[in-house]
Amino acid sequence: MKAKICGITRSGDLKSSEKLNPDFIGFINIKRSMRFVDTLKINELKNSMKDKDKAVLVMEPDSAEEVIKKVEECDIKNVQLHSLSPEEISEINGINIIRAIGIAENIDEVKIEEIEQFSKVCDYLLFDSMISGKSGGTGKQIPLQTAIKGAEIAKMSNPDIKLFLAGGMNIERIEKEGKIIKENFDYVDVNSGIEDCPGIKNSLKFKEFMKICKVI
């Protein structure tokens, strides 16, 4: 199973992560996040990476122009967005777009339409748990059957879309549900599940997480 580690804030954690060869490594540039890093620090971390193509800039921008500006500042080609409409995203070219979609306990008609519309304009969708209208950093898991329903809707709208499952991802969930997750998603996204505290990764937890992912 492929994996993205998100919320890297320290060079030591970045080096430890790279040794385990995740598919993507995310840096969060959202001020409300406890794992916020500014673009100067993101540049410093990204420039030390062995494979810079794995870097993901995580944003909650106000406009497409803001995305383009920060991408140029950081020289990162993968962007995970927690805002912007399908119409605004369609204005962005030459960047791999991962659009986060907040999922609650159930998927209603409004959420179905949201998944369908973003599937048509993005390269990837990332399903994350949603609390009070905000996705990301909640540490809460999406019920598996709800996540699978979302994946099916996305694939029906765009068979080529690639999918991430996030939201409280940890070793226990991968051990218990990893095979089913792999059947429906292309990647898992782990953050708080391998931390000692926000922004401080536990290398032993991440090593165990990646070990399980690789055998599924």
Side-chain angles (χ1 to χ4, degrees):
M1 177 182 289
K2 296 179 180 179
K4 168 177 170 277
I5 179 174
C6 201
I8 291 292
T9 63
R10 307 188 304 170
S11 59
D13 289 341
L14 177 59
K15 290 177 182 178
S16 297
S17 300
E18 283 198 291
K19 290 178 182 179
L20 298 171
N21 198 30
D23 297 276
F24 291 104
I25 296 176
F27 307 102
I28 300 176
N29 187 239
I30 299 175
K31 288 189 176 180
R32 64 181 172 87
S33 173
M34 294 183 288
R35 301 163 185 88
F36 170 80
V37 279
D38 62 28
T39 53
L40 186 65
K41 182 64 174 180
I42 290 172
N43 256 315
E44 178 187 324
L45 291 166
K46 182 265 301 180
N47 287 335
S48 73
M49 291 176 65
K50 295 177 182 178
D51 187 350
K52 297 175 179 60
D53 288 342
K54 292 183 176 183
V56 179
L57 177 62
V58 182
M59 299 179 61
E60 195 172 61
D62 293 322
S63 66
E65 290 75 19
E66 183 181 346
V67 176
I68 295 166
K69 179 183 177 182
K70 287 196 175 181
V71 163
E72 289 175 351
E73 288 178 8
C74 298
D75 191 24
I76 291 177
K77 70 176 186 177
N78 307 302
V79 178
Q80 178 178 318
L81 300 176
H82 287 256
S83 61
L84 300 189
S85 67
E87 292 76 20
E88 290 169 315
I89 288 173
S90 66
E91 299 173 8
I92 304 170
N93 298 308
I95 301 169
N96 296 322
I97 300 293
I98 305 168
R99 181 52 160 90
I101 295 181
I103 304 289
E105 294 293 318
N106 298 290
I107 294 177
D108 58 18
E109 292 299 320
V110 173
K111 188 61 62 175
I112 289 173
E113 183 176 358
E114 181 182 348
I115 294 170
E116 290 174 342
Q117 292 302 313
F118 281 117
S119 294
K120 295 173 183 176
V121 297
C122 299
D123 303 287
Y124 307 82
L125 295 185
L126 182 147
F127 292 165
D128 205 343
S129 55
M130 181 171 65
I131 297 176
S132 301
K134 293 291 186 179
S135 62
T138 67
K140 183 178 179 180
Q141 295 182 353
I142 304 168
L144 184 58
Q145 290 307 312
T146 303
I148 291 172
K149 180 180 178 180
E152 291 171 346
I153 294 165
K155 288 289 186 180
M156 285 183 66
S157 184
N158 178 6
D160 295 323
I161 195 78
K162 300 298 183 184
L163 302 173
F164 290 81
L165 181 60
M169 195 62 62
N170 55 31
I171 293 168
E172 291 74 23
R173 186 163 206 185
I174 291 296
E175 287 178 329
K176 182 179 178 181
E177 301 175 336
K179 291 183 179 179
I180 300 173
I181 292 171
K182 186 178 180 180
E183 290 172 1
N184 294 276
F185 289 85
D186 302 283
Y187 302 87
V188 290
D189 182 293
V190 65
N191 190 343
S192 61
I194 55 166
E195 288 183 332
D196 290 325
C197 61
I200 308 300
K201 305 301 183 191
N202 182 308
S203 60
L204 293 178
K205 287 182 180 179
F206 187 50
K207 184 176 182 180
E208 182 66 17
F209 183 90
M210 289 301 297
K211 179 181 177 181
I212 297 168
C213 285
K214 288 176 181 179
V215 299
I216 292 175

